[in-house]
Each structure stands twice: as C-alpha cells, then as structure tokens.
Amino acid sequence: MSERERGLILIKDADGPTDSDNQAGFLNFGPPISAIVIATIGQAGVGVQPVMVSALTEAGGFDIKVAGYIASAEILGIVVTNLATVITGSRSNWRSLCLIGLVLLIVGSIASIFARTDFESMIAARLISGFGAGLLTSSGYAAAGMTRNPDRMFGYILAAATAHAALTSLLLPGLAISWGVQTIFIYFGILGLIGLPFLKWIPVSTNTQVMQLHSGSKLSERLAALLAVVLLFTGLGVLWPYLFQIGLNMGAGVDGASIGLTSSHLAAFGGALLAGYAGRLIPAFAMFLLAMAVTIGSILLLPVLSGALAYAILASGFNAGSNMAIVLALGAVAQADVNGRWIAGAVMLQTLGLAIGPALAALVMTGSDFQMPEILSVVLIAGSCIAGIFVALQARHRSILV
C-alpha cells in the first residue's frame, strides 16, 4: 500500500464517514461517473472541432478561414471560463457551475442552429457554447481530481473523450452532409440535456479529507506540475493537427494514412486506460517516463521511416504514449492540489497549449517539411518530462515526511 493510500485511510478512520465522502466518490459510484460524463461533455466540442470546421465549409457555406475563426471563438470561450474558475478557486460551487455550463451549452447550440450562415451570429453562438464547455471541463476535472484515485479518474475521462471523438468523427460528417450542419449543433444540445441528470452527484466543493492529504505540497511542486502540463500539451499541439499530413509525407497514401490515424485513436484509448491503472501495474513515475520515451521515440522516428505500416505504428505510439503522459501529468497536479484551483489551471493550460502549438509549428515550418516542428515538439515534451521528474521528487519527499 502506498503512502498516499495509508494517509487516506488514517484520515478516514479519524474523522469517520461524512457527507463529503459520499460526494467525492468514496462510498458510491455516482460521483465518479458523473465527473467523467460532465468532463467528457465539456471536451466534446474540442474533440469534434475538425468535423465541425469541415461541416461549416462543406455543408454550411462558410469559407475555410471563417470556419477557423468560428472554431477559435469556441476555444476562447473555454479559456475565459477556465480562467474564471482558476481565479475563484475553492469559492466555486462545482454543481452550480456545471448547471450553468450545461445551460450555456444548450443555449449556444440552439443559437448556432438559428445562426445559419450569419458569421457574427455564429461567432457569438459558439462563444456561448465555449463558455459552457469551459465550465463543464474545469469543474468536471476538479471534481475528478478531488477523489481518492485521480489518475484513474483522468484515465477514464480521457478514454471516454477519445472514444467519443472517434465515434462522432465517424458518424457526424455524413449526417451533416445529408441533413445540414445544424445536425452537429443539435447533437451538442442533446449532450447538454444528457448531462442534466448527473448534476445531483457532482460535489459542491473540495473534499476536506483530500485537502488535508495534499496540504503538505509546496508551491514549487504545484508550479512545476503546471509547467509539465503546459509544455506537454504545447508539444503535442505542434504535431497533432498535422499528423495526417505527416502520414502522407511518409508515403502512406490517403487510405493508409486514414487507417493509421484510426489505429492511433484506438491506441490512445488504450493508453489512457493503461495510465489510469498505473499504480496497480507499475509505479506512476515509471509509467510516466515510459510514456514520455514512447512519445518522443515515435516522433524521432517519423522522418526516418516510411510507408503505411511504419506510419500506423508510430502514430499509434505517439497517441498512446501522449495519452498516458497526459493522464499522469494531470494526476501529478491533482496530487498537489489543495482546493481544486490548480487542476482547473491545468485544464486551462491544456487548452492554451493545444491552441499555441499549431501556431508555433507554422512559425518554424518550411513548406511541407515537418522536420523543424518535430524537433520543436521533442524539445517541449522533453522539457515537460524534466518538470515531471522534479514534481515526482518533491512528492516523494512529501510522502516520506508524512
């Protein structure tokens, strides 16, 4: 049994079961499942963005650049409400924020349906949806981070989000072409309605037992954990939008690149679940180093190997390794978080990193040569690994003192 688990048992035995135990998922499965559902709904818009941009251009009549601006408005909304959650911190009522988030998501979806081809109206509608998605994501992750097994919870959330993105990417494009781009916004509205019954299990605020357990974390540990998150997501964001094109450059062909990208989604799903159970298989820190090695190794081999099979293997390694690293990096933030504010900050930095990454890639890219973006991605991810090592050493020192 780990130091962390012993600490939880000691705290629980000393205080006895409380209502907050039930809320944080110590005694039933309702709260953990609700946190997974709410966080997955919050991330749905980002996961489906490539499909939405395509549908806006193919079925909605928008120019490709205009569609990009519309997608950016939604990301901006997510960042704004993520930041607001970070500022309010422990004063936030997660259940109320999730209710507001679901209402905004539904209102934004309805407004998107009626916006049709009006650019300003669509921008405003997607911004409203982004506000809602940001509240759902930050509150859902905060609730998950304040449970007894945050690594496992984050693994479930990422696996659910990956599976949802893969399924909707398969089904929604055809529906949008047949029934119009409004189909996507109707789907988002339905997701908002689905989330409403789960609100009663979302905790109101941080759990005092978990706050006690994490109270020994230093500011340097929390800041390093956030640094690891933002460097990791920025490094991944540098390559992720271009992963299909990289496959074509490797000579995979359109069909080969499609198959390789699909297999990488499956690998990402497995990687997230594997990281969630890291503590039961091998120590989380060892799993983190393994995930980083697989991710960096896959990137370094992209310009070396060629062909559809090589691309499928390397893309799968990249997605599986990165998903494992994401779960464990977010878990490290949760282990040091005392009030839910830090994991909300990590979610905000995650969004910022994915937004900044493609812009950095564009700055260093020459033509269709991805060598410089690949090098930049490796440097950023390696920096995240170094920050993660520092966090692990700080956490180990803290557990010894306990």
Side-chain angles (χ1 to χ4, degrees):
M1 183 182 296
S2 68
E3 290 290 337
R4 177 173 165 274
E5 289 172 330
R6 283 198 290 270
L8 279 167
I9 291 174
L10 288 174
I11 293 171
K12 192 173 180 65
D13 290 342
D15 295 339
T18 65
D19 289 339
S20 60
D21 285 338
N22 290 322
Q23 287 182 338
F26 284 91
L27 302 178
N28 61 69
F29 294 103
I33 292 174
S34 296
I36 294 169
V37 171
I38 291 297
T40 301
I41 293 174
Q43 295 179 102
V46 175
V48 182
Q49 269 209 341
V51 173
M52 186 183 72
V53 170
S54 176
L56 286 171
T57 57
E58 298 296 328
F62 288 97
D63 179 78
I64 184 64
K65 289 186 177 181
V66 172
Y69 291 137
I70 293 171
S72 296
E74 186 168 357
I75 294 294
L76 175 62
I78 292 173
V79 172
V80 168
T81 45
N82 281 167
L83 180 59
T85 307
V86 174
I87 294 172
T88 55
S90 57
R91 300 189 300 274
S92 301
N93 183 317
W94 294 335
R95 191 178 300 163
S96 297
L97 290 181
C98 287
L99 174 59
I100 296 171
L102 290 172
V103 171
L104 288 174
L105 184 64
I106 294 169
V107 169
S109 299
I110 294 173
S112 299
I113 294 171
F114 286 100
R116 297 190 179 276
T117 58
D118 184 74
F119 172 65
E120 289 79 8
S121 298
M122 185 64 77
I123 284 282
R126 300 319 303 158
L127 184 64
I128 293 171
S129 288
F131 289 151
L135 290 175
L136 294 173
T137 305
S138 57
S139 300
Y141 268 92
M146 288 295 155
T147 59
R148 186 162 52 175
N149 296 293
D151 288 353
R152 190 179 306 170
M153 288 293 295
F154 294 146
Y156 289 154
I157 289 173
L158 193 54
T162 301
H164 176 265
L167 183 62
T168 51
S169 296
L170 179 66
L171 298 177
L172 286 182
L175 294 176
I177 292 174
S178 300
W179 298 343
V181 69
Q182 287 75 21
T183 306
I184 294 177
F185 304 128
I186 292 172
Y187 175 72
F188 285 150
I190 292 173
L191 281 182
L193 293 174
I194 290 173
L196 291 174
F198 292 92
L199 289 177
K200 63 180 179 180
W201 289 297
I202 293 294
V204 172
S205 61
T206 55
N207 181 276
T208 55
Q209 295 174 341
V210 178
M211 289 173 67
Q212 284 181 275
L213 184 64
H214 297 174
S215 60
S217 64
K218 296 180 179 179
L219 178 62
S220 58
E221 180 184 344
R222 299 172 204 160
L223 290 175
L226 289 183
L227 179 63
V229 168
V230 70
L231 289 177
L232 175 60
F233 277 97
T234 304
L236 298 176
V238 167
L239 285 189
W240 169 244
Y242 305 103
L243 202 56
F244 188 86
Q245 187 62 42
I246 289 173
L248 297 179
N249 284 9
M250 291 176 63
V254 174
D255 290 339
S258 298
I259 293 172
L261 198 58
T262 301
S263 67
S264 75
H265 282 302
L266 296 175
F269 178 82
L273 288 181
L274 186 62
Y277 281 91
R280 293 186 175 185
L281 301 171
I282 62 175
F285 178 57
M287 181 74 80
F288 177 73
L289 294 180
L290 174 63
M292 286 294 193
V294 170
T295 305
I296 292 174
S298 298
I299 297 171
L300 291 175
L301 289 174
L302 285 173
V304 177
L305 303 180
S306 62
L309 179 59
Y311 170 71
I313 294 173
L314 295 180
S316 296
F318 174 79
N319 273 351
S322 61
N323 263 19
M324 291 167 59
I326 288 169
V327 170
L328 297 168
L330 291 175
V333 177
Q335 296 289 357
D337 197 352
V338 294
N339 55 18
R341 176 181 294 179
W342 293 87
I343 192 62
V347 173
M348 180 188 70
L349 292 176
Q350 163 186 327
T351 307
L352 282 176
L354 292 176
I356 294 171
L360 292 177
L363 286 175
V364 301
M365 194 179 344
T366 304
S368 59
D369 184 1
F370 293 97
Q371 183 175 6
M372 287 307 297
E374 287 163 355
I375 293 173
L376 177 59
S377 178
V378 167
V379 170
L380 290 169
I381 294 172
S384 172
C385 185
I386 294 171
I389 291 172
F390 176 82
V391 173
L393 293 175
Q394 290 280 301
R396 178 176 176 80
H397 178 70
R398 176 159 52 94
S399 66
I400 291 173
L401 292 178
V402 173

